[in-house]
Amino acid sequence: MFTKAAVLREKGADFALEVVSLGEHRPDEVLVRMVATGVCHTDLLVRDQVLPPAPPVVLGHEGSGVVEEVGSSVSDLAPGDHVVLAPRSCGRCRTCLNAHPMTCVGWGPLNLRGRRPDGSTAFRDIDGAEINGHFFGQSSFAAYAVVPARSAIAVRPDAPLEMLGPFGCSLQAGAGTVLNALKPQPGSSIAVFGLGAVGLAAVIAAGLAGCASIIAVDLNTDRLELARDLGATHTIDAGGGGGDAADVVGEVLEVSGGGVDVSVDAVGLSSTAHSAVAVLAAGGVAAIAGSAAAGRDVAFDLNQLMGRSVRGVLEGDSVPALFIPYLVDLYLAGRFPIDRLVRTYAFDEINRAVEDSTAGSVVKPVLLF
């Protein structure tokens, strides 16, 4: 079949709207008609070739839509099901079987190679040349996608699909980091560095967990105000002291009375990771949840780590088939107000959505098909 897609043709380029050929789905795959897809910072890291796969490629990994067809071996999905698309995992390795599919042994190749596990791609351009795809198991910057059934998470039909795509990546990443990985006790304290979609989802989740002190840190004053509306008890302008990390750490330590119980780096910079550890009280845990470029190092004072822990968290350490429907329930109950984060665009406006995201004028752009 033929479908419209946004194709990245070269490093750093705008996305080109093209008609592409989409191959048949396989027995363990489903064909999904996209309703919406989020634009994520990780898409832009690939655009700039900080992360693979290489162009030409169809990106997009926060898709939501409707199942059109199912493969012969798929028994838990049917045409007409509403789905949110999640990263691919093998389902067979030790970590998958231990209920940690987002740290699947094959996570990198399965999601970032731009190909199916056998090296094939379902995408070809109008001249028949192969295009990389299957990004995070989906490549949702296209009106239709061929998706492994394991990555298509059925959600309740009364939820608005136009809003649900980001639950597949950024929102589950932020909320899951707090609720699944850190699991703060009611009454505890947390600091969140970076108030993009991941960080703001972490702020909301901290409130759901019952944190008494929620300290939000960012350079963007509008996002600091939004964080306060979403439950932050304290906000710190990271640019207020000239961007000095030591000043930010000092402010967090002062506000928290000597350190926080848990912290989240939702940025992925060496400086924010260092700060997330530096603000911990004894016994505290820092979660590094932001997407980082390969080879980025961070140094800690060894004494700083005594009695404290640091852990990397990928996609909120969630089981998407369980966690995404849970977050959708919270959203419909008014307890996870993602409407405050989202601005919608027509799919043809993808490059304007990218510009607005880069400029920081929108937290989570969502493209509508």
Side-chain angles (χ1 to χ4, degrees):
M1 68 178 294
F2 291 96
T3 185
K4 180 185 283 189
V7 182
L8 178 72
R9 284 287 175 183
E10 58 185 45
K11 176 181 177 180
D14 284 347
F15 292 95
L17 295 172
E18 302 182 17
V19 174
V20 302
S21 171
L22 184 65
E24 289 288 326
H25 61 278
R26 295 181 172 182
D28 63 344
E29 295 176 332
V30 297
L31 176 67
V32 177
R33 174 178 58 82
M34 291 298 158
V35 170
T37 183
V39 176
C40 181
H41 177 61
T42 304
D43 295 309
L44 306 187
L45 291 178
V46 178
R47 178 199 63 182
D48 297 334
Q49 287 296 277
V50 175
L51 293 174
V57 61
V58 178
L59 299 175
H61 63 286
E62 291 188 337
S64 57
V66 179
V67 175
E68 295 282 298
E69 299 174 7
V70 301
S72 58
S73 67
V74 177
S75 59
D76 55 349
L77 291 168
D81 283 350
H82 290 196
V83 291
V84 171
L85 306 184
R88 185 167 189 164
S89 56
C90 75
R92 300 183 300 273
C93 69
R94 176 179 55 83
T95 55
C96 282
L97 294 174
N98 201 31
H100 297 285
M102 294 299 94
T103 50
C104 173
V105 170
W107 197 96
L110 287 175
N111 291 287
L112 298 175
R113 185 183 177 198
R115 300 274 165 157
R116 292 185 178 104
D118 66 1
S120 67
T121 174
F123 288 99
R124 281 173 172 76
D125 66 20
I126 202 70
D127 296 320
E130 290 188 342
I131 302 174
N132 282 327
H134 308 280
F135 186 56
F136 279 64
Q138 55 188 277
S139 286
S140 55
F141 285 174
Y144 286 84
V146 168
V147 181
R150 183 174 169 83
S151 291
I153 311 303
V155 294
R156 49 194 284 188
D158 59 330
L161 280 170
E162 295 81 2
M163 297 296 294
L164 301 189
F167 281 119
C169 181
S170 54
L171 299 182
Q172 79 162 342
T177 295
V178 175
L179 299 176
N180 300 328
L182 293 174
K183 299 179 181 178
Q185 295 297 308
S188 59
S189 56
I190 183 172
V192 178
F193 293 85
L195 299 176
V198 174
L200 288 169
V203 167
I204 297 171
L208 293 171
C211 291
S213 178
I214 303 172
I215 305 168
V217 183
D218 201 278
L219 294 163
N220 187 310
T221 55
D222 290 337
R223 294 191 181 185
L224 290 169
E225 182 178 347
L226 178 56
R228 190 172 285 276
D229 289 344
L230 294 173
T233 58
H234 305 82
T235 56
I236 294 175
D237 183 350
D244 192 308
D247 290 343
V248 172
V249 168
E251 285 192 63
V252 175
L253 293 175
E254 181 178 356
V255 166
S256 62
V260 295
D261 299 306
V262 295
S263 64
V264 177
D265 169 22
V267 181
L269 295 174
S270 300
S271 58
T272 49
H274 189 277
S275 295
V277 172
V279 300
L280 292 176
V285 182
I288 312 303
S291 296
R296 182 168 284 161
D297 295 329
V298 59
F300 300 111
D301 184 327
L302 288 179
N303 290 320
Q304 225 173 23
L305 295 180
M306 297 302 174
R308 299 168 179 84
S309 302
V310 185
R311 62 173 299 183
V313 182
L314 185 59
E315 294 291 352
D317 195 22
S318 50
V319 178
L322 299 176
F323 195 57
I324 290 174
Y326 169 67
L327 291 179
V328 171
D329 285 345
L330 288 174
Y331 166 60
L332 291 180
R335 301 180 63 196
F336 206 92
I338 60 169
D339 310 71
R340 302 293 307 276
L341 314 184
V342 168
R343 182 187 302 168
T344 59
Y345 300 77
F347 180 58
D348 291 355
E349 298 177 297
I350 182 170
N351 290 309
R352 184 164 74 86
V354 168
E355 290 174 5
D356 290 349
S357 178
T358 302
S361 62
V362 58
V363 176
K364 175 52 61 178
V366 171
L367 308 175
L368 303 181
F369 290 87

